[in-house]
Amino acid sequence: MLLTEVVSTSAAVGATRSRKEKSAALASLLRAAAPDEVEAATSWLAGEPRQGRIGTGWRTLSGLAGDPAAEPSLTVSGVDATLTDLAATSGAGSTRRRRELLESLFGAATADEQAFLVRLLTGDLRQGALEGVMLDAIAGAADVPATSVRRAFMLSGRLPATAATALSGGVDALDAVRLHVGTPLRPMLASPGDSLDAALAVLGEDVTVEFKLDGARIQVHRDGAEVRVWTRTLREITDGVPELVELVRALPCRTAVLDGETLALDDDGRPRPFQDTMSRFGSDVAEEQALLSPFFFDLLHLGGTDLIDEPLHVRLDALAGLLAEHPPLRMPGVRTPTPEQAAQVLDDALSAGHEGVVVKALDAPYAAGRRGKAWQKVKPVHTLDLVVLGAEWGYGRRAGSLSNIHLGARDPDGGEPIMVGKTFKGMTDELLAWQTATFPSYAREARDIQEASHAVLLRPELVVEIALDGAQRSVRYPGGVALRFARVLRYRPDKTPAEADTIEAVRALLNG
């Protein structure tokens, strides 16, 4: 298969809003791929190389995108082999060798293929082929039930491998995939709840209400003396968290798969800033770094028995037994609480410096990789009025629209607004159209805004209301702080930049 066929499919997927049409286009491409091309094509259409990030930045790649080939000749297998070579190239002479590989690759690519490769290798291939759409496409390409594809993906955690299994072995091969201690699963996710009362109204009385920590999700596997730890994105961090390894190695079991969160605590037991926790991932332990504390809330396997299909109350009973002699490792919470008890759990969580609570249905199985209604997270929503400093041209379905906006907080000393983050979340089609039509009149430069290749800088005159989950320390932005999970609520034409929130208001969220 030629790379141009993948590029054409990517363009078709990005050009439609219809999930059905996206899935059909992807399925057609996967159906036509050779067995040794399926994994690479699946990974690319999901937006990333099969080898992960290859360590080459946008500036280097964009400089190679010139003098394109007149006719397409690159094959999927050939490009994938080059990316494998790039990922494996290190040591003396690696810079020259990587340059040679990239020049050879881009020299053989057409203009459309060059643009696709730049976006793929820089993580900017936002074409609307999200995980759920890809799973539907795999099911369609292999003519198998979507439930079998989703379950196999849940257990393997690898989308390209799931596609290869489906297309080579069909439903029997998919259904043969089992939980394997030592292979991480996609984590079950919680949906945002409007309020504690609303979550309880939806899920009823047969629930557990647990703390929602401002920590990092972890999945821990134990097989005998071997303990391994993964993050929410299934990145292994075992070597960087030896204290977690030792705690789990001390539990009274031979095999187990635990789900939970970890975070750094101060001497009073309150959570330290989120950055302190994240700084430990992938790092060697240093004396000045805070130790991580784990809090487990689910048990997916114990002593040779898989528990993912059991209802939550069965899994919690097994977890309670496993941690009976280690109660600090349990996530705080209350099962089948009264409304008053549930409210107290929320108050206790917030008073202890945590984000809020998660309300979980006790009769629900573990829906790995899914964000369903069986788990609902409830936490206060922070909002800020910030100044729009710039915008970036969108990709895929947002091509031609000014999308990702740069956000600044007011300098209380009267200086220029201080950048604290970016966001493209929360924008409707109508809002994107409004931004694209409105922003040119606020451009700092007089030239045609359409000539901007990437980002457009704006005069600091527009105020937008942003919802966010909090803030974290950052060396990326001049104010030393960055927004967490920011999304657009609305623009505030009734407010001037002088009425925007200050950088101090953003910094106050570091402990909020």
Side-chain angles (χ1 to χ4, degrees), residues 160-197:
T162 301
T165 299
L167 287 161
S168 64
V171 68
D172 290 341
L174 290 169
D175 291 346
V177 177
R178 293 285 183 270
L179 184 155
H180 176 71
V181 177
T183 299
L185 291 74
R186 307 288 292 187
M188 183 172 178
L189 304 174
S191 297
D194 293 333
S195 67
L196 179 58
D197 289 342

Side-chain angles (χ1 to χ4, degrees), residues 160-395:
T162 301
T165 299
L167 287 161
S168 64
V171 68
D172 290 341
L174 290 169
D175 291 346
V177 177
R178 293 285 183 270
L179 184 155
H180 176 71
V181 177
T183 299
L185 291 74
R186 307 288 292 187
M188 183 172 178
L189 304 174
S191 297
D194 293 333
S195 67
L196 179 58
D197 289 342
L200 292 172
V202 170
L203 298 177
E205 298 179 355
D206 198 19
V207 297
T208 181
V209 180
E210 301 172 345
F211 279 24
K212 172 69 179 76
L213 307 184
D214 187 18
R217 189 78 172 264
I218 54 170
Q219 187 178 129
V220 186
H221 290 228
R222 176 179 171 184
D223 186 359
E226 182 181 19
V227 176
R228 300 173 68 184
V229 186
W230 287 270
T231 67
R232 170 175 169 158
T233 59
L234 308 189
R235 179 170 67 91
E236 186 167 3
I237 56 169
T238 303
D239 291 342
V241 290
E243 68 271 41
L244 303 184
V245 171
E246 289 304 314
L247 285 169
V248 173
R249 189 175 285 147
L251 297 178
C253 63
R254 174 165 178 77
T255 59
V257 176
L258 294 129
D259 193 1
E261 284 194 83
T262 188
L263 75 170
L265 302 173
D266 62 22
D267 292 340
D268 297 326
R270 295 181 64 81
R272 295 179 61 164
F274 184 71
Q275 292 290 87
D276 289 356
T277 295
M278 295 307 297
S279 68
R280 284 292 313 281
F281 286 11
S283 302
D284 293 331
V285 177
E287 290 183 3
E288 66 272 13
Q289 290 181 315
L291 295 178
L292 296 178
S293 298
F295 294 86
F296 296 113
F297 52 70
D298 218 325
L299 184 62
L300 313 182
H301 173 96
L302 180 64
T305 301
D306 292 342
L307 302 172
I308 57 172
D309 293 324
E310 297 291 343
L312 177 58
H313 68 84
V314 172
R315 305 198 307 272
L316 289 180
D317 287 344
L319 180 65
L322 178 62
L323 302 182
E325 298 181 4
H326 305 269
L329 302 186
R330 285 282 305 276
M331 182 68 75
V334 176
R335 288 172 67 168
T336 60
T338 64
E340 293 76 18
Q341 289 173 322
Q344 187 62 55
V345 175
L346 177 58
D347 287 344
D348 291 345
L350 296 176
S351 297
H354 300 300
E355 291 186 327
V357 295
V358 182
V359 184
K360 302 177 180 180
L362 287 171
D363 60 354
Y366 192 88
R370 302 289 298 277
R371 190 185 297 279
K373 293 295 184 181
W375 291 10
Q376 296 193 29
K377 54 186 176 184
V378 178
K379 51 186 178 180
V381 176
H382 302 289
T383 63
L384 292 171
D385 292 323
L386 301 173
V387 182
V388 182
L389 305 179
E392 299 172 9
W393 291 105
Y395 294 105

